[in-house]
Amino acid sequence: MSKGVLVDITRCVGCGSCAVACKMWNSLQYNNGVDTVGENAELAAEEWTVVKKAVVKKEQKTAWRFVKQQCLHCLEPACASACFSRAIQKTKEGPVVYVEELCVGCRYCMLACPYNIPKYEWDKTFPRVRKCQMCASRVSNGEAPACVGVCPSGALTFGDRAELLQLARERISSGGYINHIYGEDEAGGTNWLYIADVPFEELGFRTGITTKPLPEYSESILRLTPAVGLGWGAVLTGLYVYNRRRNEVAREEKISSVKKGKKK
Amino acid sequence: MAATNSDAGRWRFPMTSTRYVLLFLAIVGALLMVYRLVVGLGSTTNLNDQWPWGLWIGFDVLVGVALAGGGYSTCLLVHVLRIKKFNAIARAAMLTSLIGYLLVMAGLFMDIGRWFNFWRPFVSWGYHSVLFEVFWCVSLYTMIQLLEFGEVATERVQQGWHKYIKKILPVLFIIGIVLPTLHQSSLGSLYVIEVGKLYPLWWSMLLPVFFLMSSFFVGPAMVTLESFLGARAHGHKPETGVLSSLVKISGYLLVVYLVLKIVDLFYRGAAGLVFAGNLEGNMFLLEMIAGVIIPIIICFNSKLRNSNAGLIGFSVLVAGGVILNRMNVVFTGMAGFMGGFYFPSPIEWGVSIGLIATGVLVYLFVVENFKILPGEGKGTGTMPLVSKDRTSQKLSA
């Protein structure tokens, strides 16, 4: 069963423990002047998760909400589908991981991702693509990702995706939430799920994403390739042979007419 | 260079002031390319996390591949359909295409971050990726074109191989049409996965069809421009008659393209965006009016089509329209979603300009040392010129 994490935005207090745990477990750099929590927090090569502060209106009053951002680990990831050297792979436990040795550095994954998650080491001679790996080695041992383990407020819950959906529905029906589990259907569904008490677009989420898995769009076209290639090749061969024969016939006629002493 | 055969004489490449400028640009470009490979993408380009693809992918690769499409369209017309009047332009068109693809490969190599890994997709098959198809087709097609060029090259060097190359040419021609058909369209498919990201005026499931069609109708335009430039440089008259009927093929495709575009816009409910008055709408209008509708008008007015000005106007507009279209897909159409800012750095410009300068120099060198252009310097007039001693008259033998 594929694992996931449920993020309950109503419970997040914006402490940033998750961002610290992420850095520790994944040996990421601590960059001065780069925010991991707050309104300016942005994902970057060394910031695999950040907690973005969103100022929202709740019952006509201003309120703060904190949105933990990281890779959403799509069920059918566009980045993995876009990768032409298998450097991004979906594991059976859920995490979408990056295999450095296979990466050519084309950055098509960055374009394909509907959430703009993958980041690049622009300052390196041989840059890597960087993003949350959902602590794949921990998850494969049945442990929760590092960020989930340290969350002090109960905003993060690790478990089977199906059970998390169940839990999310229970919380929504208990009241106080908007009726939308972000990640249930977006781009065909993700392993990370979010519930919130304000509309997701106000929290900076990209909404209105197609519910069809993104790889299906391109792969439906790609599937035609062999047929188109072979069919077109056959048509061309036919035309080639036909036109060659026609030319030969024309030439023979010309030669024979010349032999008869007639001018063309 | 390979060993020269004695009867072919010496290699010649008279330097003019233009060629010195081109040589300078090419050398600067080459140095910048080495610098980029050593220090990485971040310090040489203005690319960033918002704009991972820029000038090199957008112009050097997407536009380059489209403009180099004159090779396979001409190959189809001349060698498969055997429309004899186009023989005169076949070699020049296919040479331009070969050089174009070599430049595209160089541009691609510049753009990949971990270039020591460029061979990975040959062994680690990400076959579900559109880029995988593009990568394989472009590499194989470049190889096929090099072999096709062997026919020309072995007239002068390694002449013993000539008869063997002649034998495999039919196979090369057919593969050499299938491969570009596949990857010209896949370059469009690259953006199919940008669902909801690429502006709806450009995003469509028909992107591969549009890219394929435009790469085909831009072929005659490029051949025409090249013929006029070549004629001016070498002091002979361009084959207006040939070009005029070549351009007409473009014209029919342009009409189909226009109709398909309009139907597609209405089908997807995006037609209203055309006159929205925003940047995207205006750029789309510019692309369609200047690059498609005006060329159609020129093309189906026989007086215009048979005049030099009409032919040049048509070709400049069509080529410009295709360039604009690719740029709109890569930049204009993505800007709304991507945010941030990107403008190519001086190094990016330098490399791109250097690559083009290199291409022009190589073209000039080959044209002056191999049999590429028909009736050079003979003042051939406007009659279609099918010279017996040159283009592939022996193919059918």
Side-chain angles (χ1 to χ4, degrees), chain A residues 86-111:
Chain A
R86 288 180 176 274
I88 298 184
Q89 298 170 3
K90 176 82 178 170
T91 61
K92 64 178 191 303
E93 294 91 3
V96 176
V97 296
Y98 172 71
V99 186
E100 189 185 324
E101 303 82 64
L102 297 177
C103 180
V104 179
C106 71
R107 311 181 295 288
Y108 189 34
C109 51
M110 299 172 72
L111 267 113

Side-chain angles (χ1 to χ4, degrees), chain A residues 42-45 78-88 98 100-108 110-116 118-129 206 210 212 214-222 224-226 228-230 232-240 243-244 246-248 251 254, chain B residues 36-43 45 47-54 57 72 76 79-82 84 111-121 124-133 135 169-170 173-174 177-178 181-182 186 189-197 203-206 208 334 337-338 388 393 395-397:
Chain A
E42 296 286 350
L43 295 176
C79 56
S81 157
C83 181
F84 69 152
S85 62
R86 288 180 176 274
I88 298 184
Y98 172 71
E100 189 185 324
E101 303 82 64
L102 297 177
C103 180
V104 179
C106 71
R107 311 181 295 288
Y108 189 34
M110 299 172 72
L111 267 113
C113 175
Y115 308 103
N116 277 2
K119 303 296 172 201
Y120 206 55
E121 293 178 318
W122 292 103
D123 50 343
K124 300 265 173 68
T125 298
F126 298 120
R128 290 171 292 177
V129 172
R206 182 184 168 205
T210 174
K212 190 167 144 183
L214 291 179
E216 276 182 22
Y217 286 88
S218 45
E219 285 172 22
S220 68
I221 291 173
L222 217 46
L224 303 174
T225 305
V228 169
L230 290 175
W232 184 219
V235 169
L236 289 171
T237 311
L239 283 171
Y240 185 88
N243 284 312
R244 186 170 78 169
R246 207 178 59 171
N247 268 25
E248 275 170 7
R251 193 181 303 119
K254 204 173 147 192
Chain B
R36 171 264 169 273
L37 292 178
V38 173
V39 302
L41 281 165
S43 28
T45 68
L47 297 172
N48 52 56
D49 281 332
Q50 275 86 42
W51 286 100
W53 282 6
I57 286 279
Y72 83 102
L76 175 65
H79 296 304
V80 175
L81 301 179
R82 291 189 182 254
K84 281 207 177 129
D111 206 82
I112 55 174
R114 304 163 68 79
W115 47 266
F116 59 89
N117 252 355
F118 76 93
W119 50 273
R120 282 285 182 194
S124 182
W125 286 20
Y127 55 82
H128 34 57
S129 168
V130 178
L131 201 58
F132 181 75
E133 186 185 326
F135 176 79
L169 268 181
F173 285 148
I174 287 165
I177 296 169
V178 171
T181 307
L182 293 179
S186 345
S189 318
L190 277 180
Y191 278 84
V192 163
I193 209 164
E194 312 292 323
V195 192
K197 291 170 83 173
W203 186 89
S204 160
M205 285 302 277
L206 289 182
M334 296 293 287
F337 182 83
M338 309 275 252
K388 280 262 152 100
Q393 88 282 11
L395 269 178
S396 49

Side-chain angles (χ1 to χ4, degrees), chain B residues 214 217-218 221 250 254-255 257-258 283-297 313-325:
Chain B
S214 50
F217 65 61
V218 80
S250 254
L254 276 164
V255 173
Y257 179 82
L258 178 65
M283 290 297 267
F284 183 81
L285 272 178
L286 182 65
E287 177 191 321
M288 295 309 290
I289 293 173
V292 178
I293 296 171
I294 297 179
I296 289 176
I297 295 170
F314 174 90
S315 307
V316 168
L317 287 174
V318 169
V322 170
I323 295 174
L324 186 61
N325 170 257

Side-chain angles (χ1 to χ4, degrees), chain A residues 4-15:
Chain A
V5 176
L6 175 66
V7 184
D8 187 337
I9 285 174
T10 65
R11 298 189 183 192
C12 180
V13 295
C15 68

